[in-house]
C-alpha cells in the first residue's frame, strides 16, 4: 500500500463530516483514525476551499522550479505572509512542500 494515503476520498469526506457535525473534536478524530492533525486541517481546508475533488490523492508529484521556490521562501521569510498564504499564492500543493 502507498505510504501517502490509506483513506479513499469518500472516507476522508466522512471523517471530515464527523468534525463538521460536532460529533467529535479534531484531536479525537486524529487519535481515532491515527491521522496527524495537520493532515486533517489540510483536508478540511482543501475541501472547504476547492470541494471534494481536492480530497482525491494526487497521482503525480508536482515539481516546482528553483525560482518559484526561492520566491516562496523569500515571501515567507519576509514575515508578511503565513506559510498557508505563501502556499496559496504560489499554488504549492501543501505547506510541507515549502
Amino acid at each position: 500500500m502507498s505510504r501517502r494515503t490509506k483513506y479513499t476520498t469518500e472516507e476522508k469526506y466522512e471523517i471530515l463530516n464527523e468534525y463538521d457535525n460536532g460529533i467529535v473534536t479534531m484531536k479525537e478524530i486524529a487519535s481515532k483514525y491515527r491521522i496527524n492533525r495537520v493532515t486533517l486541517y489540510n483536508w478540511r481546508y482543501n475541501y472547504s476551499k476547492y470541494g471534494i475533488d481536492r480530497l482525491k490523492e494526487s497521482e503525480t508529484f508536482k515539481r516546482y522550479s528553483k525560482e518559484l521556490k526561492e520566491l516562496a521562501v523569500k515571501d515567507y521569510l519576509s514575515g508578511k505572509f503565513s506559510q498557508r498564504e505563501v502556499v496559496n499564492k504560489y499554488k504549492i500543493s501543501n505547506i510541507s512542500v515549502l
Side-chain angles (χ1 to χ4, degrees), residues 68-95:
L68 183 131
K69 291 177 193 178
E70 288 175 348
L71 288 171
V73 169
K74 284 179 184 177
D75 271 357
Y76 177 67
L77 292 176
S78 75
K80 296 178 183 175
F81 301 95
S82 69
Q83 282 182 318
R84 178 143 334 265
E85 289 170 328
V86 170
V87 164
N88 291 337
K89 179 178 179 180
Y90 293 98
K91 295 181 179 24
I92 296 172
S93 61
N94 194 299
I95 62 171

Side-chain angles (χ1 to χ4, degrees), residues 30-88:
S31 178
K32 178 180 176 180
Y33 293 101
R34 302 186 66 160
I35 302 170
N36 184 295
R37 274 193 281 179
V38 172
T39 299
L40 289 171
Y41 286 114
N42 286 335
W43 289 357
R44 188 164 187 265
Y45 174 81
N46 286 330
Y47 173 70
S48 66
K49 182 116 175 141
Y50 305 105
I52 198 159
D53 284 341
R54 195 64 180 258
L55 293 178
K56 292 179 183 174
E57 187 67 26
S58 174
E59 294 180 12
T60 61
F61 289 103
K62 187 170 183 181
R63 298 196 187 276
Y64 302 97
S65 71
K66 180 180 177 181
E67 294 79 18
L68 183 131
K69 291 177 193 178
E70 288 175 348
L71 288 171
V73 169
K74 284 179 184 177
D75 271 357
Y76 177 67
L77 292 176
S78 75
K80 296 178 183 175
F81 301 95
S82 69
Q83 282 182 318
R84 178 143 334 265
E85 289 170 328
V86 170
V87 164
N88 291 337

